[in-house]
Amino acid sequence: MKEAATLVNPGPIPATGDRIRRAASRKPAVRIDIERLSLSFGATQVLKGIDLTVEAGEFFAFLGPSGSGKSTLLRAIAGFGPAPEGRILVGGEDIGACPPWQRDVGMVFQSYALWPHLSVARNVAYGLEERHAPREEIRRRVAESLELVGMAQFAARYPAQLSGGQQQRVALARTIAAEPRVLLLDEPLSNLDAGLRVQMREELLALQRALGITTIFVTHDQEEANSICDRIAVMAGGVIQQVGRPVEIYDHPGNEFVARFLGAANLIAGRAERDGSRGVRFRSAEGGFELSLTSDAALGGGHLMIRPQGFDLVEADGPAAAGAGVQIVRAVVRSSEFLGGVLRYSVTAERGVALIVDVRHDRGRPALQAGQSIGLSLRPEQALFIAS
């Protein structure tokens, strides 16, 4: 019977040192090209003509809600599941006809998939043993991989004797030991508590940067994707809705779905129309709620997007304007929600338009009360019109 052990935090994953440098030089980073990829389960089409390029050495995210097709796309790259239509190229090589074990792609699963009856070292060695690697090479790769993830001192333990974060590190070590050209991570942080998720995503980024390996990270958590990934593909309904850097997508969503999914947003249906010779003005569908937009705004029907932090509080009976281009929206507080760093207010503006407004929480500063009249100042660049 295996003896129980106290769970110990092994400390952060080392990000420097000779072993990191040697690991980083194992194989050059490769680009991934996905061309017209479609996949169906029976009559249900789950991927619909995906075209995407992940650059060499990039930390890339597939982000979307459950059922969006992000994990199916990841598994298609790994070679799991039915063969899709279209092409998947890794380093310019079409791997569509290759079985998973010949694709030189490493995958870390959400469940970690560790063998409970094998020690940490044997779990890491398992894939190498299946490939009939020389014994001395297995020993070297296992030792290096465990040191890379800060788990060398736990080599003799068993998965049941490890915390969730430690098990994830072992799963990473097992994948790294095989020296893949591409690293695939299928929601690897979802089983961890909130505090450990933050720590582990920082460590994942440090490890990926040190190794320089092309990495794709699947998640439904916008904060995870925004904090560690170079670029994001937002997915819904088996289609890529938008690709870009986190800040670009957050500030300039391409459609209503992306605007709603990438953080809280006020979205007001209406039209953007010419206002004089050069200006553009938004009018809500119900009428009565109007705002001036930047002159390059698209015209026609759609939604006006304002992030909750885009407003500044001003006196309810303040002036109609407070500086060049700044507009004042009058509103009444309906309710509030304490989120730690901010207070989120639900307010009703002119003509019954419902808005959410985030205000920084300062110790000792009283919260606004329900029924209180307020003014909200808004700069034109904080309002984005998204055409339908």
Side-chain angles (χ1 to χ4, degrees):
M1 181 176 178
K2 296 187 287 288
E3 189 175 325
T6 303
L7 301 183
V8 179
N9 186 339
I13 291 176
T16 60
D18 291 340
R19 292 190 186 276
I20 280 281
R21 284 188 285 273
R22 286 203 299 274
S25 64
R26 288 174 178 172
K27 292 180 181 178
V30 294
R31 193 172 87 169
I32 302 171
D33 292 293
I34 299 170
E35 300 176 351
R36 303 179 301 279
L37 199 75
S38 297
L39 192 149
S40 298
F41 294 126
T44 303
Q45 190 175 18
V46 293
L47 296 177
K48 305 172 183 177
I50 301 291
D51 285 296
L52 179 68
T53 294
V54 179
E55 298 297 341
E58 194 170 25
F59 202 146
F60 197 92
F62 295 160
L63 174 67
S66 178
S68 62
K70 57 188 186 298
S71 289
T72 302
L73 179 55
L74 193 79
R75 293 175 70 86
I77 297 170
F80 301 133
E85 299 176 8
R87 298 206 306 167
I88 302 171
L89 295 92
V90 175
E93 174 192 354
D94 189 344
I95 62 171
C98 299
W101 58 89
Q102 291 182 359
R103 296 192 175 202
D104 206 5
V105 169
M107 187 161 177
V108 177
F109 297 91
Q110 182 178 346
S111 64
Y112 311 140
L114 301 178
W115 294 104
H117 63 289
L118 298 181
S119 68
V120 165
R122 288 294 310 283
N123 264 284
V124 176
Y126 183 81
L128 299 173
E129 292 172 347
E130 289 295 300
R131 292 175 173 84
H132 304 291
R135 182 174 299 179
E136 181 57 29
E137 183 179 352
I138 293 174
R139 186 202 64 75
R140 176 184 60 80
R141 288 201 200 180
V142 169
E144 287 189 359
S145 299
L146 286 175
E147 186 169 333
L148 281 171
V149 301
M151 290 292 291
Q153 67 271 44
F154 299 94
R157 292 195 181 179
Y158 289 81
Q161 297 172 308
L162 304 176
S163 67
Q166 291 168 338
Q167 290 182 44
Q168 187 212 52
R169 292 183 184 198
V170 175
L172 274 169
R174 179 182 57 193
T175 302
I176 292 167
E179 300 183 356
R181 293 185 296 172
V182 174
L183 179 61
L184 307 178
L185 306 171
D186 190 7
E187 303 217 37
L189 308 182
S190 61
N191 294 329
L192 306 178
D193 61 53
L196 190 54
R197 279 202 303 272
V198 173
Q199 176 189 339
M200 289 306 300
R201 74 190 187 206
E202 293 172 353
E203 295 179 0
L204 276 175
L205 178 59
L207 184 62
Q208 190 273 340
R209 291 293 190 250
L211 294 173
I213 187 172
T214 306
T215 301
I216 300 177
F217 180 85
V218 161
T219 182
H220 63 273
D221 189 311
Q222 303 95 311
E223 184 177 306
E224 283 181 2
N226 288 338
S227 63
I228 63 175
C229 292
D230 298 310
R231 288 192 303 148
I232 296 170
V234 182
M235 298 185 65
V239 175
I240 292 180
Q241 303 290 320
Q242 190 172 355
V243 177
R245 296 188 177 277
V247 172
E248 294 170 353
I249 297 179
Y250 183 84
D251 286 344
H252 299 280
N255 57 42
E256 182 185 353
F257 172 83
V258 175
R260 292 186 187 279
F261 192 74
L262 262 293
N266 295 292
L267 286 161
I268 307 166
R271 294 186 62 82
E273 301 171 344
R274 287 290 176 196
D275 183 20
S277 60
R278 299 179 63 185
V280 177
R281 193 160 187 82
F282 170 82
R283 293 179 172 83
S284 65
E286 293 80 8
F289 186 87
E290 299 185 7
L291 283 174
S292 295
L293 304 177
T294 56
S295 58
D296 60 349
L299 301 178
H303 289 81
L304 182 70
M305 184 198 79
I306 308 169
R307 296 291 184 189
Q309 69 275 15
F311 297 101
D312 290 318
L313 284 179
V314 295
E315 294 293 332
D317 55 355
V326 176
Q327 301 168 82
I328 301 297
V329 177
R330 315 213 182 266
V332 176
V333 176
R334 295 306 178 198
S335 62
S336 64
E337 184 180 7
F338 178 58
L339 302 179
V342 300
L343 281 159
R344 176 163 291 172
Y345 293 101
S346 296
V347 307
T348 301
E350 300 152 2
R351 300 290 181 173
V353 173
L355 299 171
I356 53 174
V357 179
D358 284 351
V359 177
R360 191 185 74 181
H361 168 65
D362 293 324
R363 184 187 302 171
R365 181 182 179 181
L368 301 174
Q369 300 300 307
Q372 185 173 344
S373 295
I374 58 172
L376 302 170
S377 70
L378 179 69
R379 298 185 303 277
E381 62 269 20
Q382 296 299 319
L384 175 71
F385 182 72
I386 304 173
S388 298

